[in-house]
Amino acid sequence: MLAGKRILLIIGGGIAAYKVLDLIRRLRERGAAVTPVMTRAAGQFVTPLSVSALAEEKVYSDLFDLTDEAEMGHIQLSRVADLVLVAPATADLMAKMATGAADDLASTLLLATDTPVMIAPAMNVRMWQHAATQRNLATLLADGVRVTGPNEGGMACGEFGPGRMSEPLEIVAAIEATLGGGALQGKHVVVTSGPTHEPIDPVRYIANRSSGAQGTALAAALRDLGAQVSFVTGPATVPPPAGVEVITVDTAREMRAAVLGALPADAAIFAAAVADWRVAVASDRKIKKTKDGLPQLSFVENPDILSEVSQMPEGRPALVVGFAAETDDVVKNATAKRARKGCDWIVANDVSPETGIMGGDENAVTLITSDGAETWERMGKTQVARQLADRIAAALAD
Ligand code: C5P
């Protein structure tokens, strides 16, 4: 809920500005007041009339309008809000913010404000990936600006990739997390997700069918409760969530290093499907087909990250959660796994092919804790993630 909060919404000039009309509605539904500011370019995409009608407030757009003493001055306007949100944050607005330019009302407000600032970038994929934009992004992050998105997907310009503005509800969730009230505010949670790829040679690898869907949904749910999330992901098919720190890895050993590097944390959730073994010595050249028979691969065990973190003598997160994908005797096997690994909880699921869970949208989960096994109804992975995030928040509050 955002009751009593005021958002100063700076609308940039990009096609994603149309989503801002819905965003204003969503913010108002949650009790927030919205003070809209439009750049000149924003007026090419949405009209001040529609923005003003949805916000039920005057739209500000001209720097010199405000110099009239009868009006609110720009310094005052920049400070009336609990949060300044720039949506869509165009490449141009990001560049102005990063350099401190102040040549119109929007950029002047951004320079004058003393309240938290969040941006929702939206631009063509090449503009987003351009070294200049990435430099500006790094500067803004270092300045303490919060960033939500961009998402990956098809774009209005017909290209595909990162650059789509976060959806209105994702932006609302990021604002709720920033403005507090979230049960995990101030907590740091590490989440592993996705499969790992273990090389055989430079072109071949061992992998598994994990999509990363459950880990990604969980990271988003934890973020929505206000947690600072370090998301360590193998090569997943589902894109990582917005608003979390994403650390991409390929192998189990890289995942281990990334997890240890991300600690300390209040909780660590191991949703990744880590390969149990790797090829002992991966060839640095492509293994050739020969007449002398088939290649002989020998395997060694990968580090068990969950066990290692669960049994850390010092700096162990207060809550360590593992996952167990089982095809039979789910509760018995998962209970034994909890004891063997030394973690606090195991989230067990039946991944027998007939359940359709692996790679699907739904999950049927049994939560195993020191109190025993608790079987949840089958539900969507997002719903499982929300329910788990609530339980994690309750455990960390104890
Ligand atoms: O032993 P098993 O692979 O079934 O254990 C599954 C749990 O352990 C998951 O939480 C998984 O993320 C974690 N794990 C790990 N490192 C490994 C293997 C599994 O963290 N090498």
Side-chain angles (χ1 to χ4, degrees):
M1 286 305 284
L2 292 169
K5 302 290 184 196
R6 178 166 287 276
I7 313 293
L8 182 71
L9 172 63
I10 295 179
I11 307 173
I15 183 65
Y18 80 90
K19 289 191 198 172
V20 164
L21 299 176
D22 187 35
L23 174 64
I24 296 172
R25 262 191 50 228
R26 304 291 185 175
L27 290 168
R28 301 289 317 278
E29 272 168 14
R30 283 160 180 76
V34 178
T35 307
V37 174
M38 291 173 64
T39 64
R40 228 155 66 109
Q44 302 291 326
F45 297 92
V46 283
T47 71
L49 186 61
S50 21
V51 170
S52 171
L54 286 163
E56 292 184 84
E57 302 241 0
K58 168 186 163 84
V59 175
Y60 295 90
S61 53
D62 187 351
L63 182 58
F64 300 105
D65 245 13
L66 294 172
T67 52
D68 182 346
E69 279 306 300
E71 290 239 29
M72 197 191 292
H74 61 261
I75 302 292
Q76 201 188 340
L77 182 61
S78 75
R79 298 190 184 165
V80 290
D82 298 286
L83 180 91
V84 179
L85 171 68
V86 186
T90 58
D92 178 59
L93 265 171
M94 285 178 63
K96 280 184 176 162
M97 289 174 74
T99 54
D103 62 354
D104 62 1
L105 180 61
S107 51
T108 304
L109 294 176
L110 284 160
L111 202 58
T113 191
D114 60 356
T115 48
V117 176
M118 179 182 292
I119 62 171
M123 65 196 73
N124 167 273
V125 54
R126 291 211 189 282
M127 291 170 77
W128 173 250
Q129 286 169 340
H130 194 286
T133 304
Q134 291 301 309
R135 248 190 336 264
N136 292 335
L137 175 67
T139 303
L140 294 174
L141 286 168
D143 289 348
V145 170
R146 281 104 165 138
V147 181
T148 168
N151 292 343
E152 192 171 276
M155 317 211 13
C157 52
E159 289 184 41
F160 185 91
R164 279 167 68 101
M165 190 171 81
S166 293
E167 295 304 319
L169 286 179
E170 291 178 299
I171 299 176
V172 168
I175 293 174
E176 284 177 329
T178 300
L179 290 183
L184 287 171
Q185 197 72 32
K187 303 285 185 198
H188 178 214
V189 185
V190 176
V191 178
T192 71
S193 182
T196 62
H197 284 183
E198 308 295 334
I200 296 171
D201 65 19
V203 296
R204 304 182 178 97
Y205 56 82
I206 296 167
N208 62 66
R209 294 187 195 283
S210 166
S211 63
Q214 189 62 82
T216 301
L218 189 56
L222 293 163
R223 169 206 67 196
D224 291 350
L225 292 182
Q228 179 209 335
V229 179
S230 298
F231 184 66
V232 180
T233 177
T237 44
V238 172
V244 304
E245 182 200 7
V246 180
I247 306 155
T248 55
V249 298
D250 276 320
T251 66
R253 284 181 296 172
E254 288 168 8
M255 186 170 276
R256 173 182 178 272
V259 167
L260 297 181
L263 296 178
D266 298 285
I269 321 295
F270 293 88
V274 185
D276 291 316
W277 334 275
R278 66 176 184 277
V279 174
V281 185
S283 169
D284 55 6
R285 316 224 134 222
K286 186 178 170 202
I287 301 172
K288 293 256 188 268
K289 205 163 22 170
T290 68
K291 292 196 200 77
D292 309 332
L294 299 171
Q296 298 298 313
L297 298 179
S298 62
F299 292 91
V300 288
E301 222 173 289
N302 265 328
D304 188 322
I305 316 165
L306 172 62
S307 292
E308 184 175 344
V309 171
S310 296
Q311 294 169 34
M312 279 170 66
E314 259 173 60
R316 181 195 192 272
L319 181 70
V320 180
V321 181
F323 278 66
E326 305 283 349
T327 49
D328 39 31
D329 273 343
V330 176
V331 172
K332 184 163 156 264
N333 287 334
T335 305
K337 188 167 290 182
R338 176 178 172 271
R340 199 167 60 242
K341 304 254 189 186
C343 55
D344 301 297
W345 300 350
I346 284 274
V347 182
N349 49 15
D350 184 350
V351 292
S352 325
E354 62 274 17
T355 64
I357 283 173
M358 198 81 169
D361 294 333
E362 291 196 328
N363 208 349
V365 155
T366 302
L367 180 64
I368 298 183
T369 69
S370 57
D371 295 335
E374 190 186 302
T375 298
W376 295 356
E377 275 169 43
R378 191 176 168 125
M379 56 182 108
K381 287 185 176 171
T382 311
Q383 184 64 23
V384 168
R386 291 212 181 109
Q387 210 157 302
L388 255 177
D390 285 341
R391 289 292 286 265
I392 291 165
L396 291 184
D398 286 345

